[in-house]
Amino acid sequence: MYFDLGKYHSEFLFLYGRYKELRAFCLDTDALYAYVTENKYVEGFQNGEYFKSTDKLELEKWLTPKTDAIITAFDTFELQMPVIFSSYLEDAIVTFLTVYFVKYENCMGDYVNPSDQGNIKGFVKISDILKHITIEELKESLASKAAHNAASGKSKKKVFARIEALTKYTIQTKIKDRIIALYDKRNEIVHENKKFELGMDYIEEIYDDCIAFITELGKICVEKKVPFNDPSGLLR
C-alpha cells in the first residue's frame, strides 16, 4: 500500500482541463451557434402540447433559449467545481492517513474507535478481527477505519492539526488557509445553496491549492519514509 500522488495529481489536472475545455466552448459564440443550429428541427412542449417543427423561423426563435440553457448549464457546473475539488482532496487525505497508519500502526489507536464517540478508545470487536485472514489485511482494515475517523469533522483546521500531531510535520500555513477557504466555499454551496460567480482565475487558484496540498502530503511521505508513488514528479 502506498500514497499515490500521481492518481490525485491526474484527477485534479483532468478536472481542471475539462473545465477549461467546456468553458472555451461555451464562451465561443461561433461554436455555440454551430451546435444549436446543427439540428434541422426543433421539438419540445409549448402551452402544454408537444410540437416538432422544421420551419426556419421556428428554429431561429429557439436559438437564444437553447444557447442560454447551455450557458446556464456551464454556470451550474462551474459552481460545483469547489465541491468536486474538495471531494477529491478528502479522498487524498483519507488515503494518506491510511497508508501512514499502516506504516506506523501504533499511531492509529486513538482513532480506531475514538472515545469522543462514547466508545472505548482503541476497542476492536473480535468479529472484526476474525474476518480477516492475514495480519496485513487486519492492519489495513483498521488503518482505513482510523483514517476515516481522523479525517472526519466539520473543522478542517482540526483535521490538519491531527495530521501535524501524528506526523510531527508542519504544513505550510498559507496552504492550510487556502484549503480551509476552499472547504468553507464548498460548505456554503452545499449546505446554504449559495451562488457565486467564480470565474477562471478562481478555479485555477483552487487547482493550484490542491496540488500544493497533496505535495505537502508527499513531503511527509518522504520525511517519514511512508511508501508513495510520484510518477509526475511533484516532489522533484
Side-chain angles (χ1 to χ4, degrees):
M1 177 174 281
Y2 56 86
F3 180 56
D4 195 347
L5 275 164
K7 171 189 173 182
Y8 295 106
H9 186 193
S10 63
E11 284 185 342
F12 290 131
L13 183 61
F14 289 143
L15 175 60
Y16 177 53
R18 292 177 190 124
Y19 164 80
K20 288 180 65 177
E21 289 295 325
L22 184 58
R23 182 179 186 275
F25 169 75
C26 290
L27 295 182
D28 187 332
T29 54
D30 291 336
L32 270 183
Y33 182 81
Y35 175 75
V36 298
T37 57
E38 68 175 351
N39 290 331
K40 302 304 179 183
Y41 64 88
V42 63
E43 62 180 334
F45 286 89
Q46 194 169 34
N47 298 324
E49 295 184 1
Y50 171 79
F51 74 93
K52 182 175 181 178
S53 175
T54 57
D55 181 73
K56 184 176 181 181
L57 291 177
E58 190 70 27
L59 286 169
E60 291 179 351
K61 185 176 75 174
W62 285 92
L63 287 179
T64 298
K66 286 181 69 177
T67 301
D68 289 346
I70 293 171
I71 297 298
T72 299
F74 170 74
D75 289 342
T76 301
F77 173 66
E78 183 178 72
L79 186 63
Q80 294 304 306
M81 290 295 281
V83 180
I84 303 172
F85 271 111
S86 297
S87 68
Y88 287 173
L89 199 58
E90 191 77 17
D91 186 58
I93 292 171
V94 170
T95 301
F96 165 78
L97 285 169
T98 301
V99 177
Y100 190 86
F101 285 142
V102 169
K103 173 71 174 179
Y104 298 103
E105 62 266 27
N106 291 335
C107 293
M108 73 170 87
D110 288 344
Y111 299 101
V112 170
N113 210 27
S115 57
D116 60 2
Q117 296 178 7
N119 302 313
I120 301 173
K121 185 170 67 174
F123 175 78
V124 180
K125 293 180 180 179
I126 188 68
S127 58
D128 290 339
I129 296 174
L130 294 177
K131 67 184 179 183
H132 298 289
I133 298 175
T134 67
I135 292 296
E136 197 62 31
E137 287 180 2
L138 173 61
K139 187 193 296 185
E140 290 182 7
S141 175
L142 294 176
S144 176
K145 183 178 180 181
H148 279 86
N149 288 330
S152 67
K154 294 181 180 179
S155 173
K156 288 305 165 189
K157 187 175 182 179
K158 290 183 178 179
V159 172
F160 298 157
R162 290 178 201 142
I163 294 174
E164 292 179 326
L166 283 165
T167 63
K168 304 296 188 294
Y169 180 95
T170 302
I171 301 170
Q172 293 183 49
T173 300
K174 180 180 179 181
I175 295 175
K176 285 188 294 186
D177 289 345
R178 299 283 298 177
I179 296 301
I180 289 170
L182 168 61
Y183 274 98
D184 288 343
K185 182 79 73 179
R186 177 259 183 206
N187 290 337
E188 288 180 302
I189 294 168
V190 173
H191 300 299
E192 301 176 34
N193 195 30
K194 284 193 175 181
K195 303 294 188 290
F196 300 96
E197 292 185 7
L198 301 178
M200 180 70 179
D201 290 343
Y202 175 78
I203 303 303
E204 185 173 358
E205 286 175 5
I206 62 175
Y207 164 75
D208 290 338
D209 295 337
C210 288
I211 295 301
F213 188 81
I214 63 170
T215 300
E216 285 290 282
L217 297 181
K219 290 177 180 178
I220 298 175
C221 290
V222 172
E223 185 172 303
K224 301 300 178 180
K225 296 182 171 54
V226 174
F228 69 93
N229 183 41
D230 183 27
S232 51
L234 286 178
L235 301 176
R236 290 176 188 168

